[in-house]
Amino acid sequence: FWGVSVPFCIAGYRAATGHWPDLSSQEDLAQLGAEAFAFVNVARFAVPLRIGLALSTTPWVQSNIVDRFQKEKQGHGEV
């Protein structure tokens, strides 16, 4: 998650400000901190959505993936 989101946030910073973040500039550090704060709050908001998505897709995964692989294993004499 973080491996994808950090480059995404840095690219979003560049799109919003027109330049890459300069870590030696106090103004850029303040802007980057504000963006990080906003991103973490959005990510925290998304946690219940991710849990809901996982719970809502459980029956589909059970019937289309798990049951199929268990049937194949039982057909080959493996348990």
Side-chain angles (χ1 to χ4, degrees):
F1 173 76
W2 293 111
V4 174
S5 63
V6 169
F8 179 76
C9 287
I10 292 174
Y13 179 88
R14 186 178 193 294
T17 62
H19 61 87
W20 295 107
D22 180 14
L23 299 179
S24 63
S25 167
Q26 289 299 320
E27 183 180 335
D28 282 358
L29 284 175
Q31 288 177 343
L32 195 58
E35 183 180 334
F37 178 76
F39 179 76
V40 167
N41 282 328
V42 169
R44 188 172 41 171
F45 171 73
V47 169
L49 299 175
R50 291 171 49 202
I51 292 171
L53 178 65
L55 291 174
S56 68
T57 58
T58 299
W60 183 88
V61 170
Q62 178 71 37
S63 64
N64 291 307
I65 298 173
V66 175
D67 290 345
R68 286 186 181 175
F69 284 110
Q70 285 181 346
K71 287 178 186 176
E72 288 178 11
K73 282 185 177 182
Q74 290 174 355
H76 288 99
E78 298 177 13
V79 179

